Amino acid sequence: MVPPAVALRDRLASGDRSFSFEFFPPKTDEGERKLWMALRQIEALKPTFVSVTYGAGGSTRDKTIAMTEGIARETTLMPVGHFTAVDHSLAELRHIIRQYAAAGVQNVLALRGDPPGDPQAEWTPHPEGLAYAADLVRLLKDSGDFCVGVAAFPEKHPRSPDWDSEIRYFVEKCDAGADYAITQMFFYPDDYLRLRDRVAAAGCDVPIIPGIMPATNVKQIERFATLSNAAFPPELASRLHAVEEDPDQMRKVGVEAATELCERLLAEGVPGLHFITLNTSTATREIYEQLGLPGRH
């Protein structure tokens, strides 16, 4: 197994690209069986890392940690554990850090997180917790040799009043010790490129990995796009709606569009690609293969 402590940080610093896949904790035994099947399929591709998300509002914290620990112990994959401030006291956050460290998980993605119940609701920090992602980064860095990632938003975070504020908040997370960033999903490459240029103009050189979610289910992707404030291309929506009664054709359209997006981003010199799988690896594996990436490590 690849030693996880500095592998991702070093890989990005060397200029070698990172290719990764994101999963979420399943709610049922059957879901867990399917997830492990997907992980074994992904393992054959030798990605740089895989990550396991928290549910909405931090609702799957224990399952997230257990899955991340299981990946670290039972596979050759390097796991990145998610870590959010939602509804967690400082004592609970320190306990999670100890759990990750005990399992050998030293790559962590620090996210403030959305309010439980309603992602659009007003954010209220735990009375004994932390208020900002930058605080989580500092806590992790003070707790050991963690390689820490943060979120980036190509279309600006919905709560940021303007782009100057958005970039200032991002740079604050990097100044706190973030080693890399992964973006929210997006569909227009120029949105990512403008974000990268703004961050560079602010004097920040932390690598920003694009987050890619293939549009393989039009109703689902439109809902996700609304929740994440991501502009969904009307022409892609039309193509998907035209075949929405045929799941195979819909996946084919979504894979084609995502592959084109990835090709443009790779041509622009991005530091890697982070595929949001929704626990079904078929579409993301197809994109990976169409890009000629299998077998990289």
Side-chain angles (χ1 to χ4, degrees):
M1 189 178 298
V2 177
V6 295
L8 180 54
R9 182 165 52 225
D10 284 355
R11 178 168 190 146
L12 292 169
S14 73
D16 197 6
R17 282 171 164 158
S18 168
F19 296 98
S20 52
F21 296 84
E22 179 177 299
F23 299 89
F24 63 85
K27 296 180 180 179
T28 65
D29 290 344
E30 177 61 14
E32 184 166 347
R33 186 188 69 79
K34 289 181 177 179
L35 172 56
W36 278 105
M37 184 183 301
L39 283 166
R40 292 304 182 186
Q41 291 169 332
I42 291 298
E43 189 172 18
L45 303 181
K46 299 183 178 179
T48 309
F49 68 90
V50 296
S51 69
V52 183
T53 71
Y54 269 36
S59 58
T60 62
R61 182 189 71 183
D62 292 341
K63 288 183 178 179
T64 296
I65 295 167
M67 282 299 307
T68 305
E69 290 174 337
I71 292 168
R73 290 173 174 149
E74 299 175 31
T75 77
T76 60
L77 296 163
M78 183 172 78
V80 169
H82 282 218
F83 186 63
T84 82
V86 175
D87 278 355
H88 295 340
S89 68
L90 188 56
E92 288 173 327
L93 292 171
R94 288 184 171 132
H95 178 65
I96 295 168
I97 291 172
R98 288 194 295 272
Q99 286 180 284
Y100 277 148
V105 177
Q106 293 182 293
N107 291 281
V108 180
L109 189 63
L111 311 164
R112 190 195 65 175
D114 294 321
D118 179 7
Q120 310 298 330
E122 190 66 29
W123 163 257
T124 303
H126 187 287
E128 298 173 8
L130 300 176
Y132 302 105
D135 297 328
L136 292 173
V137 175
R138 278 187 283 268
L139 177 62
L140 284 160
K141 288 294 185 176
D142 288 344
S143 300
D145 183 25
F146 287 95
C147 178
V148 183
V150 293
F153 300 88
E155 295 165 89
K156 190 167 67 63
H157 192 284
R159 293 184 177 85
S160 290
D162 50 54
W163 269 108
D164 286 344
S165 300
E166 177 72 21
I167 299 305
R168 184 172 68 253
Y169 298 148
F170 179 79
V171 172
E172 285 175 0
K173 292 188 288 189
C174 297
D175 288 344
D179 297 289
Y180 66 97
I182 298 175
T183 75
Q184 178 70 271
M185 71 173 188
F186 63 96
F187 299 96
Y188 291 103
D190 287 345
D191 289 331
Y192 169 88
L193 297 172
R194 279 191 289 267
L195 170 67
R196 186 177 68 175
D197 290 347
R198 286 178 169 121
V199 170
C204 180
D205 61 358
V206 167
I208 303 173
I209 302 170
I212 307 296
M213 181 185 285
T216 56
N217 181 312
V218 66
K219 291 179 180 177
Q220 183 183 58
I221 201 73
E222 286 178 334
R223 184 172 72 253
F224 288 160
T226 298
L227 289 173
S228 63
N229 200 39
F232 191 56
E235 63 277 13
L236 177 55
S238 296
R239 291 174 61 199
L240 290 165
H241 278 295
V243 295
E244 63 182 314
E245 301 304 320
D246 186 335
D248 289 338
Q249 283 300 311
M250 193 156 50
R251 189 182 80 245
K252 183 178 179 181
V253 170
V255 166
E256 180 183 303
T259 301
E260 291 174 358
L261 172 61
C262 292
E263 287 173 340
R264 169 76 191 283
L265 293 168
L266 291 171
E268 293 284 353
V270 297
L273 298 169
H274 182 70
F275 296 102
I276 303 165
T277 71
L278 299 180
N279 287 18
T280 304
S281 66
T282 305
T284 47
R285 282 188 291 117
E286 288 175 353
I287 297 165
Y288 199 78
E289 289 160 4
Q290 289 186 23
L291 295 170
L293 302 176
R296 293 180 61 98
H297 200 64

